[in-house]
Amino acid sequence: MIVLAVALPSFRSPGNLQGIISQVAVTGVVALAVNQVILAGEIDISTGSLLGLTAAVAGAVAERSGGVLLPLAAAIGVGLVVGAVNGLLSTAARLPSIIVTLGMMNIIRGQFLDRAGGLVFNPPAGSQFLGSGAMPIIVLFLAALAFGLVNIHSTWGRNVFAVGGNSRAALLAGLSPRRTRFWSFVVAGGCVGLASMIYLGQVGQVQATAGTGFELQVIAAVVVGGTSVAGGRGSTAAPLVGAILIGVILNALTLTGVAGTWQDFVLGALILMAISADALRRRILR
Protein backbone atom coordinates (compact mmCIF):
# COMPACT_ATOMS: atom_id res chain seq x y z
CA MET A 1 0.00 0.00 0.00
CA ILE A 2 2.94 2.33 0.73
CA VAL A 3 4.50 1.60 -2.65
CA LEU A 4 1.18 2.15 -4.43
CA ALA A 5 0.55 5.39 -2.55
CA VAL A 6 3.94 6.71 -3.70
CA ALA A 7 3.77 5.43 -7.26
CA LEU A 8 0.09 6.18 -7.94
CA PRO A 9 -1.27 9.50 -6.63
CA SER A 10 -4.78 8.42 -7.59
CA PHE A 11 -4.49 5.40 -5.27
CA ARG A 12 -4.11 7.49 -2.11
CA SER A 13 -7.12 9.70 -2.82
CA PRO A 14 -9.78 9.45 -0.07
CA GLY A 15 -12.43 8.54 -2.61
CA ASN A 16 -10.40 5.63 -3.97
CA LEU A 17 -9.55 4.29 -0.50
CA GLN A 18 -13.20 4.45 0.56
CA GLY A 19 -14.14 2.80 -2.71
CA ILE A 20 -11.75 -0.10 -2.02
CA ILE A 21 -13.33 -0.79 1.39
CA SER A 22 -16.83 -0.53 -0.08
CA GLN A 23 -15.97 -2.91 -2.91
CA VAL A 24 -14.43 -5.52 -0.59
CA ALA A 25 -17.47 -5.45 1.72
CA VAL A 26 -19.20 -8.21 -0.26
CA THR A 27 -16.08 -10.38 -0.31
CA GLY A 28 -15.32 -9.57 3.33
CA VAL A 29 -18.73 -10.53 4.70
CA VAL A 30 -18.68 -13.89 2.90
CA ALA A 31 -15.00 -14.51 3.73
CA LEU A 32 -15.72 -14.02 7.44
CA ALA A 33 -18.25 -16.87 7.28
CA VAL A 34 -16.23 -19.14 4.97
CA ASN A 35 -13.36 -18.60 7.41
CA GLN A 36 -15.42 -20.52 9.98
CA VAL A 37 -15.91 -23.38 7.52
CA ILE A 38 -12.17 -23.61 6.83
CA LEU A 39 -11.30 -23.27 10.52
CA ALA A 40 -13.57 -26.28 11.13
CA GLY A 41 -11.59 -28.32 8.61
CA GLU A 42 -13.96 -28.04 5.63
CA ILE A 43 -14.23 -25.82 2.53
CA ASP A 44 -17.04 -24.15 0.59
CA ILE A 45 -16.53 -23.21 -3.06
CA SER A 46 -20.21 -22.72 -3.93
CA THR A 47 -20.34 -19.10 -2.75
CA GLY A 48 -20.05 -17.54 -6.21
CA SER A 49 -23.06 -19.35 -7.65
CA LEU A 50 -24.98 -18.86 -4.41
CA LEU A 51 -24.28 -15.11 -4.51
CA GLY A 52 -25.81 -14.95 -7.98
CA LEU A 53 -28.81 -17.00 -6.88
CA THR A 54 -29.53 -15.00 -3.71
CA ALA A 55 -28.98 -11.68 -5.51
CA ALA A 56 -31.43 -12.74 -8.23
CA VAL A 57 -33.99 -13.82 -5.60
CA ALA A 58 -33.55 -10.56 -3.69
CA GLY A 59 -33.85 -8.55 -6.92
CA ALA A 60 -37.01 -10.35 -7.97
CA VAL A 61 -38.63 -9.85 -4.55
CA ALA A 62 -37.54 -6.20 -4.46
CA GLU A 63 -39.12 -5.52 -7.85
CA ARG A 64 -42.46 -6.77 -6.55
CA SER A 65 -42.48 -5.57 -2.94
CA GLY A 66 -39.80 -2.88 -2.65
CA GLY A 67 -38.17 -2.15 0.68
CA VAL A 68 -35.19 -3.89 2.26
CA LEU A 69 -36.46 -6.34 4.86
CA LEU A 70 -38.43 -8.71 2.62
CA PRO A 71 -35.73 -9.04 -0.09
CA LEU A 72 -33.11 -9.43 2.65
CA ALA A 73 -35.14 -12.15 4.37
CA ALA A 74 -35.64 -13.96 1.06
CA ALA A 75 -31.93 -13.81 0.19
CA ILE A 76 -30.81 -14.99 3.63
CA GLY A 77 -33.46 -17.72 3.64
CA VAL A 78 -32.28 -19.15 0.32
CA GLY A 79 -28.68 -18.95 1.53
CA LEU A 80 -29.51 -20.79 4.74
CA VAL A 81 -31.27 -23.59 2.84
CA VAL A 82 -28.36 -24.11 0.43
CA GLY A 83 -25.89 -23.94 3.33
CA ALA A 84 -27.90 -26.55 5.22
CA VAL A 85 -27.88 -28.87 2.21
CA ASN A 86 -24.09 -28.46 1.90
CA GLY A 87 -23.74 -29.14 5.61
CA LEU A 88 -25.92 -32.25 5.61
CA LEU A 89 -24.17 -33.79 2.63
CA SER A 90 -20.74 -33.04 4.10
CA THR A 91 -21.49 -34.22 7.64
CA ALA A 92 -24.42 -36.65 7.72
CA ALA A 93 -23.55 -38.26 4.37
CA ARG A 94 -19.80 -37.95 5.06
CA LEU A 95 -19.00 -36.71 1.58
CA PRO A 96 -15.90 -34.54 0.99
CA SER A 97 -16.98 -30.92 1.29
CA ILE A 98 -14.97 -29.83 -1.74
CA ILE A 99 -16.93 -32.33 -3.88
CA VAL A 100 -20.27 -31.38 -2.32
CA THR A 101 -19.80 -27.64 -2.79
CA LEU A 102 -18.32 -28.10 -6.26
CA GLY A 103 -21.44 -30.04 -7.21
CA MET A 104 -23.68 -27.41 -5.61
CA MET A 105 -21.84 -24.66 -7.47
CA ASN A 106 -22.54 -26.34 -10.81
CA ILE A 107 -26.10 -27.32 -9.92
CA ILE A 108 -27.01 -23.71 -9.08
CA ARG A 109 -25.16 -22.29 -12.05
CA GLY A 110 -26.42 -24.88 -14.52
CA GLN A 111 -30.02 -25.49 -13.49
CA PHE A 112 -31.12 -22.05 -12.37
CA LEU A 113 -28.72 -19.26 -13.18
CA ASP A 114 -28.04 -20.21 -16.79
CA ARG A 115 -31.76 -20.65 -17.48
CA ALA A 116 -32.51 -17.25 -15.99
CA GLY A 117 -29.32 -15.68 -17.29
CA GLY A 118 -31.16 -13.39 -19.67
CA LEU A 119 -33.28 -11.85 -16.93
CA VAL A 120 -32.26 -8.50 -15.46
CA PHE A 121 -33.67 -7.39 -12.12
CA ASN A 122 -33.99 -3.67 -11.40
CA PRO A 123 -34.83 -3.15 -7.72
CA PRO A 124 -36.16 0.25 -6.63
CA ALA A 125 -33.81 2.72 -4.95
CA GLY A 126 -35.23 1.92 -1.53
CA SER A 127 -34.08 -1.69 -1.84
CA GLN A 128 -30.48 -0.64 -2.54
CA PHE A 129 -29.93 0.80 0.93
CA LEU A 130 -27.33 -1.72 2.13
CA GLY A 131 -25.10 -1.06 -0.88
CA SER A 132 -25.21 2.74 -0.87
CA GLY A 133 -22.96 5.30 0.78
CA ALA A 134 -21.08 4.06 3.83
CA MET A 135 -23.50 1.20 4.54
CA PRO A 136 -21.27 -1.53 3.03
CA ILE A 137 -18.45 -0.48 5.36
CA ILE A 138 -20.80 -0.43 8.36
CA VAL A 139 -22.18 -3.90 7.54
CA LEU A 140 -18.66 -5.28 7.11
CA PHE A 141 -17.57 -3.79 10.44
CA LEU A 142 -20.62 -5.19 12.26
CA ALA A 143 -20.10 -8.62 10.68
CA ALA A 144 -16.44 -8.65 11.76
CA LEU A 145 -17.44 -7.59 15.27
CA ALA A 146 -20.11 -10.30 15.46
CA PHE A 147 -17.76 -13.07 14.32
CA GLY A 148 -15.09 -11.83 16.70
CA LEU A 149 -17.49 -12.05 19.63
CA VAL A 150 -18.73 -15.47 18.52
CA ASN A 151 -15.23 -16.89 18.22
CA ILE A 152 -14.15 -15.62 21.63
CA HIS A 153 -17.28 -15.72 23.76
CA SER A 154 -19.42 -18.58 22.41
CA THR A 155 -19.15 -22.34 22.79
CA TRP A 156 -19.70 -22.91 19.07
CA GLY A 157 -16.96 -20.43 18.14
CA ARG A 158 -14.42 -22.21 20.33
CA ASN A 159 -15.62 -25.61 19.09
CA VAL A 160 -14.83 -24.56 15.51
CA PHE A 161 -11.14 -24.19 16.38
CA ALA A 162 -11.12 -27.42 18.40
CA VAL A 163 -12.80 -29.49 15.68
CA GLY A 164 -10.59 -28.08 12.95
CA GLY A 165 -7.43 -28.51 14.98
CA ASN A 166 -8.04 -32.16 15.92
CA SER A 167 -11.40 -33.68 15.11
CA ARG A 168 -10.73 -36.96 16.92
CA ALA A 169 -9.56 -35.26 20.10
CA ALA A 170 -12.61 -32.97 19.98
CA LEU A 171 -14.90 -36.01 19.68
CA LEU A 172 -13.21 -37.72 22.63
CA ALA A 173 -13.63 -34.51 24.63
CA GLY A 174 -17.40 -34.70 24.13
CA LEU A 175 -17.78 -32.24 21.25
CA SER A 176 -19.78 -32.93 18.08
CA PRO A 177 -17.62 -32.29 14.99
CA ARG A 178 -20.55 -32.98 12.65
CA ARG A 179 -22.85 -30.48 14.36
CA THR A 180 -20.13 -27.83 14.50
CA ARG A 181 -19.27 -28.22 10.83
CA PHE A 182 -22.92 -28.34 9.80
CA TRP A 183 -23.64 -24.96 11.39
CA SER A 184 -20.53 -23.45 9.82
CA PHE A 185 -22.00 -24.24 6.38
CA VAL A 186 -25.39 -22.81 7.39
CA VAL A 187 -23.79 -19.59 8.63
CA ALA A 188 -21.80 -19.30 5.41
CA GLY A 189 -24.97 -19.62 3.33
CA GLY A 190 -26.79 -16.99 5.38
CA CYS A 191 -23.89 -14.55 5.06
CA VAL A 192 -23.87 -14.99 1.29
CA GLY A 193 -27.53 -13.91 1.35
CA LEU A 194 -26.62 -10.82 3.39
CA ALA A 195 -23.72 -10.00 1.06
CA SER A 196 -25.99 -10.32 -1.97
CA MET A 197 -28.06 -7.37 -0.71
CA ILE A 198 -24.91 -5.25 -0.51
CA TYR A 199 -23.99 -6.39 -4.02
CA LEU A 200 -27.49 -5.61 -5.27
CA GLY A 201 -27.29 -2.08 -3.88
CA GLN A 202 -23.85 -1.43 -5.33
CA VAL A 203 -24.54 -2.53 -8.91
CA GLY A 204 -28.13 -1.20 -9.02
CA GLN A 205 -29.34 -4.09 -11.17
CA VAL A 206 -28.44 -7.74 -11.23
CA GLN A 207 -28.49 -10.68 -13.59
CA ALA A 208 -28.88 -14.26 -12.49
CA THR A 209 -25.37 -14.99 -13.80
CA ALA A 210 -23.74 -12.64 -11.28
CA GLY A 211 -21.02 -13.92 -8.96
CA THR A 212 -18.99 -15.89 -11.51
CA GLY A 213 -15.51 -16.41 -10.07
CA PHE A 214 -16.48 -14.82 -6.75
CA GLU A 215 -15.57 -17.97 -4.82
CA LEU A 216 -11.94 -17.52 -5.89
CA GLN A 217 -11.80 -14.09 -4.25
CA VAL A 218 -13.35 -15.46 -1.05
CA ILE A 219 -10.92 -18.37 -0.72
CA ALA A 220 -8.02 -16.06 -1.56
CA ALA A 221 -9.08 -13.59 1.14
CA VAL A 222 -9.23 -16.32 3.78
CA VAL A 223 -5.95 -18.08 3.04
CA VAL A 224 -3.96 -14.94 2.19
CA GLY A 225 -5.16 -13.42 5.45
CA GLY A 226 -3.48 -16.24 7.37
CA THR A 227 -6.09 -18.92 8.10
CA SER A 228 -4.62 -22.40 7.67
CA VAL A 229 -6.31 -24.51 5.00
CA ALA A 230 -5.69 -27.49 7.29
CA GLY A 231 -8.15 -26.01 9.80
CA GLY A 232 -7.91 -25.09 13.45
CA ARG A 233 -5.62 -22.08 13.10
CA GLY A 234 -6.56 -18.54 12.14
CA SER A 235 -8.51 -15.57 13.45
CA THR A 236 -11.47 -13.33 12.69
CA ALA A 237 -9.06 -10.69 11.43
CA ALA A 238 -7.55 -13.05 8.84
CA PRO A 239 -10.33 -12.91 6.20
CA LEU A 240 -10.82 -9.18 6.80
CA VAL A 241 -7.13 -8.41 6.23
CA GLY A 242 -7.06 -10.78 3.28
CA ALA A 243 -10.14 -9.20 1.68
CA ILE A 244 -8.67 -5.71 1.98
CA LEU A 245 -5.34 -6.91 0.57
CA ILE A 246 -7.08 -8.56 -2.37
CA GLY A 247 -9.11 -5.39 -2.93
CA VAL A 248 -5.95 -3.25 -2.92
CA ILE A 249 -4.20 -5.53 -5.41
CA LEU A 250 -7.16 -5.65 -7.80
CA ASN A 251 -7.57 -1.87 -7.50
CA ALA A 252 -3.90 -1.39 -8.33
CA LEU A 253 -4.24 -3.61 -11.40
CA THR A 254 -7.16 -1.46 -12.55
CA LEU A 255 -5.35 1.84 -11.95
CA THR A 256 -2.26 0.67 -13.83
CA GLY A 257 -4.33 -0.49 -16.80
CA VAL A 258 -3.65 -4.20 -16.43
CA ALA A 259 -6.14 -6.32 -18.38
CA GLY A 260 -8.95 -7.83 -16.33
CA THR A 261 -8.02 -11.31 -17.53
CA TRP A 262 -4.93 -11.14 -15.30
CA GLN A 263 -6.99 -10.78 -12.13
CA ASP A 264 -7.75 -14.50 -11.84
CA PHE A 265 -4.09 -15.26 -12.51
CA VAL A 266 -3.02 -12.97 -9.66
CA LEU A 267 -5.63 -14.43 -7.27
CA GLY A 268 -4.61 -17.98 -8.14
CA ALA A 269 -0.94 -17.16 -7.61
CA LEU A 270 -1.70 -15.58 -4.23
CA ILE A 271 -3.64 -18.67 -3.13
CA LEU A 272 -0.78 -20.98 -4.15
CA MET A 273 1.79 -18.82 -2.35
CA ALA A 274 -0.32 -18.63 0.81
CA ILE A 275 -0.95 -22.39 0.89
CA SER A 276 2.73 -23.15 0.19
CA ALA A 277 3.84 -20.78 2.97
CA ASP A 278 1.37 -22.40 5.39
CA ALA A 279 2.56 -25.92 4.50
CA LEU A 280 6.19 -24.88 4.92
CA ARG A 281 5.45 -23.28 8.29
CA ARG A 282 3.68 -26.42 9.56
CA ARG A 283 6.56 -28.61 8.33
CA ILE A 284 9.11 -26.42 10.14
CA LEU A 285 7.06 -26.44 13.35
CA ARG A 286 6.85 -30.24 13.27
Side-chain angles (χ1 to χ4, degrees):
M1 292 180 70
I2 293 173
V3 171
L4 291 173
V6 173
L8 300 171
S10 57
F11 174 81
R12 61 177 183 264
S13 67
N16 185 63
L17 295 177
Q18 181 179 348
I20 291 174
I21 304 298
S22 296
Q23 289 300 316
V24 303
V26 176
T27 304
V29 169
V30 178
L32 284 165
V34 172
N35 185 54
Q36 301 297 110
V37 177
I38 295 178
L39 283 173
E42 302 289 348
I43 194 167
D44 188 347
I45 58 173
S46 65
T47 53
S49 295
L50 183 55
L51 179 73
L53 173 60
T54 52
V57 170
V61 174
E63 280 187 338
R64 291 179 173 83
S65 66
V68 175
L69 293 181
L70 195 57
L72 178 62
I76 293 178
V78 171
L80 290 174
V81 170
V82 174
V85 173
N86 285 338
L88 285 173
L89 292 176
S90 300
T91 57
R94 299 187 182 184
L95 300 176
S97 57
I98 189 170
I99 302 300
V100 170
T101 54
L102 177 64
M104 183 61 72
M105 177 182 71
N106 286 284
I107 287 172
I108 295 174
R109 188 69 66 187
Q111 295 302 312
F112 175 77
L113 299 184
D114 284 349
R115 293 184 181 183
L119 299 177
V120 178
F121 302 99
N122 296 283
S127 299
Q128 302 177 24
F129 174 70
L130 291 182
S132 60
M135 281 307 299
I137 301 175
I138 294 173
V139 174
L140 178 60
F141 171 77
L142 292 177
L145 180 62
F147 277 102
L149 293 174
V150 165
N151 282 340
I152 297 173
H153 298 292
S154 76
T155 302
W156 178 76
R158 293 193 297 271
N159 289 354
V160 166
F161 284 89
V163 168
N166 192 321
S167 179
R168 181 172 176 78
L171 182 62
L172 294 174
L175 305 182
S176 175
R178 292 185 187 179
R179 185 182 302 117
T180 301
R181 287 168 171 164
F182 169 78
W183 284 111
S184 69
F185 282 105
V186 174
V187 169
C191 284
V192 173
L194 172 61
S196 70
M197 284 297 293
I198 302 176
Y199 177 83
L200 189 66
Q202 288 178 336
V203 300
Q205 61 176 216
V206 64
Q207 286 183 285
T209 53
T212 303
F214 175 71
E215 59 279 344
L216 184 63
Q217 295 185 31
V218 172
I219 299 298
V222 175
V223 299
V224 169
T227 293
S228 173
V229 291
R233 188 171 65 249
S235 68
T236 305
L240 195 60
V241 171
I244 294 174
L245 179 59
I246 296 300
V248 167
I249 292 173
L250 295 181
N251 179 257
L253 293 175
T254 301
L255 293 177
T256 53
V258 176
T261 53
W262 282 91
Q263 292 187 6
D264 287 346
F265 171 82
V266 172
L267 291 176
L270 286 172
I271 292 174
L272 287 176
M273 286 189 293
I275 293 176
S276 299
D278 178 64
L280 179 61
R281 178 176 57 183
R282 286 188 283 115
R283 189 177 299 116
I284 292 174
L285 288 175
R286 284 199 301 266

